[in-house]
Amino acid sequence: MRYSGWRIIKEALTGHKGWGPVWRDPAPKSEYDYIIVGGGGHGLATAYYLAKQFRQARIAVLEKSYLGSGNVGRNTTIIRSNYLLPGNEPFYEFSLKLWEGLEQDFNYNAMVSQRGIVNLIHTDAARDAATRRGNAMILNGADAVLLDREGVRAMYPWLNFDDARFPIKGGLLQKRGGTVRHDAVAWGYARGADLAGVDLIQNCEVTGMRIENGRILGVETSRGYIGAKKVGVAVAGSSGRVMAHAGMRLPIESHVLQAFVSEGLKPLIDGVITFGAGHFYVSQSDKGGLVFGGDIDGYNSYAQRGNLPVIEDVAEGGMALMPAIGRARLLRAWGGIMDMSMDGSPIIDKTPIEGLYFNGGWCYGGFKATPASGWCFAHLLATDTPHPTATAYRFDRFLKGAMIDEKGQGAQPNLH
Ligand SMILES: Cc1cc2nc3c(=O)[nH]c(=O)nc-3n(C[C@H](O)[C@H](O)[C@H](O)COP(=O)(O)OP(=O)(O)OC[C@H]3O[C@@H](n4cnc5c(N)ncnc54)[C@H](O)[C@@H]3O)c2cc1C
């Protein structure tokens, strides 16, 4: 079924009896050409582009829980391409361009909203860094506008300008950045992949890998053994656990990141704001809730829930930036498991095991990367060569010392 405004009107007039399940619920087959482990945004996008863009067939996505139960449905929905380094910026700009055409491409309303993102500047040195970043963005075909203090005040007059511990001196605005309804991204890719013939198999946990003579033959799962010519792993916070089945240790640690939503408020923030002197970022959902987050919890964990000290830290960041937030009641908080790489940048690469491929290390920035990550991972799986925008995302950069240290804070997850 194709979705459209006309379809909604027709269904409204006929009692909504024509809507069917959005994807099938197939039993796993004994063998596939491609198995994608992980039914999050990246795994589903990979399967979608493998089938649709690279014309491959006999593909399955294996998800241990339900589709979208991981970080893709837990993030703060921010998309942007305001990166600095040559290894990163072309990739994230490619991703933003894919977001811009995504809803037409997979015929699903993902509520892509390019409402603009402002990274606030609080010191002269930070203004220099933001200017450099903006120039790097423009050189890579992205958009960037440097705002002075009054430019920021015109957009958000209620930020703490006058008696702030960290005075606001300006901001770097990317107008094409914004938010996307995160669950709808999982659902849209899942529907698109299913329509292209991909088997989406839920409640199917990968519990082992069958490897002989340096080559992967298939995976052991909670629903039995499934053979595969190629296996792509895209399990985000579970990367270490799943790749351990292949005997691999990764330059990745798992940490919890929490997110928060307030009660519904009248329209206040029409874009996305990030605090430049503390770790705090905020936007407002269409229902009116302020959606915000901060830093990771700072200890290794596979739990999808966080702890109180970081809630306090995030609340302090919010209060320093926008004291009005102290009047809003917090409605919910939740956590996701982050795959924190040692330089803050991702990996999309082959492994030393023939037929086994890895996608991970997204830290807390992988939602915006979903379309490009899926596309580039599908490119690697189908052609055995890296996509031009993802050539830097190799395992061997840690061996060679060619880190992509985007945040410039050192190779420790607790400093990201
Ligand atoms: C609170 C929070 C806020 C965030 N905010 C942003 C943001 O604003 N912008 C941004 O760009 N990024 C953000 N991120 C990061 C982003 O959500 C992640 O980097 C990205 O979603 C990870 O990729 P994914 O969608 O494929 O992961 P997931 O959705 O976690 O998918 C991985 C899947 O693998 C499955 N799996 C694990 N083990 C197995 C197994 N053994 N067998 C089968 N399946 C398995 C899991 O169940 C899961 O469904 C945020 C993350 C969190 C938690």
Side-chain angles (χ1 to χ4, degrees):
M1 177 198 289
R2 240 196 111 64
Y3 291 155
S4 68
W6 293 117
R7 185 87 213 180
I8 292 173
I9 294 168
K10 183 171 176 243
E11 290 299 329
L13 295 173
T14 53
H16 290 287
K17 297 202 177 77
W19 304 116
V22 177
W23 51 80
R24 296 165 297 130
D25 185 20
K29 298 192 179 85
S30 60
E31 205 200 359
Y32 291 93
D33 285 354
Y34 296 92
I35 283 181
I36 310 298
V37 186
H42 293 222
L44 292 166
T46 303
Y48 173 75
Y49 291 121
L50 251 183
K52 201 164 168 238
Q53 193 62 31
F54 296 94
R55 305 271 167 213
Q56 301 299 302
R58 292 180 17 100
I59 305 164
V61 175
L62 309 184
E63 166 54 47
K64 76 171 176 185
S65 178
Y66 60 90
L67 298 179
S69 54
N71 294 343
V72 69
R74 292 166 181 268
N75 61 71
T76 39
T77 76
I78 302 167
I79 63 163
R80 55 186 171 86
S81 70
N82 52 3
Y83 283 70
L84 170 72
L85 298 178
N88 275 336
E89 179 53 21
F91 171 84
Y92 285 98
E93 179 54 21
F94 176 46
S95 204
L96 196 50
K97 290 209 169 77
L98 289 174
W99 282 117
E100 286 169 339
L102 187 64
E103 292 164 301
Q104 287 72 26
D105 186 46
F106 64 24
N107 179 228
Y108 200 87
N109 180 9
M111 296 165 70
V112 177
S113 171
Q114 292 182 287
R115 52 183 70 184
I117 177 165
V118 183
N119 287 46
L120 294 175
I121 297 166
H122 305 267
T123 63
D124 292 343
R127 186 190 292 113
D128 288 349
T131 309
R132 189 167 165 238
R133 179 178 295 265
N135 285 334
M137 290 164 65
I138 289 166
L139 284 172
N140 281 290
D143 62 306
V145 181
L146 195 65
L147 300 174
D148 61 11
R149 182 183 156 95
E150 293 317 308
V152 178
R153 198 196 288 272
M155 292 174 75
Y156 300 116
W158 39 262
L159 288 176
N160 193 359
F161 287 90
D162 299 322
D163 61 350
R165 179 170 171 204
F166 304 105
I168 296 167
K169 296 202 166 202
L172 183 65
L173 168 67
Q174 183 175 29
K175 289 187 184 162
R176 287 165 58 244
T179 59
V180 182
R181 169 77 199 278
H182 50 8
D183 319 275
V185 174
W187 301 332
Y189 274 124
R191 175 173 174 273
D194 178 83
L195 285 173
V198 174
D199 281 359
L200 304 174
I201 300 167
Q202 306 184 69
N203 300 311
C204 183
E205 179 172 4
V206 169
T207 53
M209 293 185 187
R210 201 173 285 181
I211 296 166
E212 275 177 28
N213 301 322
R215 180 174 182 87
I216 190 151
L217 304 178
V219 291
E220 309 287 350
T221 80
S222 51
R223 295 175 69 172
Y225 174 76
I226 308 176
K229 294 197 175 112
K230 292 186 176 179
V231 175
V233 174
V235 293
S238 300
S239 294
R241 286 208 282 209
V242 172
M243 294 308 281
H245 296 316
M248 284 185 70
R249 283 196 70 200
L250 305 176
I252 288 175
E253 287 182 10
S254 289
H255 288 253
V256 190
L257 178 68
Q258 303 190 58
F260 310 86
V261 66
S262 76
E263 61 188 332
L265 303 172
K266 288 188 177 169
L268 178 70
I269 309 177
D270 55 8
V272 182
I273 306 170
T274 72
F275 190 15
H279 215 142
F280 180 80
Y281 36 92
V282 62
S283 64
Q284 189 166 18
S285 78
D286 290 358
K287 282 196 292 185
L290 301 182
V291 180
F292 55 96
D295 219 339
I296 51 176
D297 271 34
Y299 50 86
N300 299 144
S301 175
Y302 286 117
Q304 285 179 317
R305 62 176 181 273
N307 228 322
L308 289 172
V310 164
I311 299 185
E312 188 177 18
D313 183 68
V314 173
E316 278 173 8
M319 286 296 288
L321 187 67
M322 45 183 297
I325 203 171
R327 303 292 293 274
R329 273 173 295 194
L330 190 64
L331 206 63
R332 283 181 286 125
W334 62 92
I337 319 167
M338 317 311 310
D339 38 337
M340 304 297 295
S341 69
M342 292 300 110
D343 61 354
S345 295
I347 297 161
I348 302 178
D349 204 0
K350 297 179 187 183
T351 72
I353 294 147
E354 213 183 318
L356 179 62
Y357 302 75
F358 177 75
N359 173 323
W362 294 99
C363 302
Y364 40 61
F367 177 63
K368 69 181 75 63
T370 306
S373 166
W375 186 297
C376 294
F377 201 32
H379 185 286
L380 180 67
L381 281 157
T383 67
D384 267 317
T385 54
H387 185 271
T389 64
T391 50
Y393 297 154
R394 313 290 293 271
F395 277 113
D396 66 3
R397 72 175 187 264
F398 297 98
L399 252 181
K400 294 180 179 163
M403 314 289 227
I404 318 169
D405 193 357
E406 179 74 36
K407 304 267 173 144
Q409 287 181 336
Q412 284 181 57
N414 63 349
L415 292 179
H416 284 293

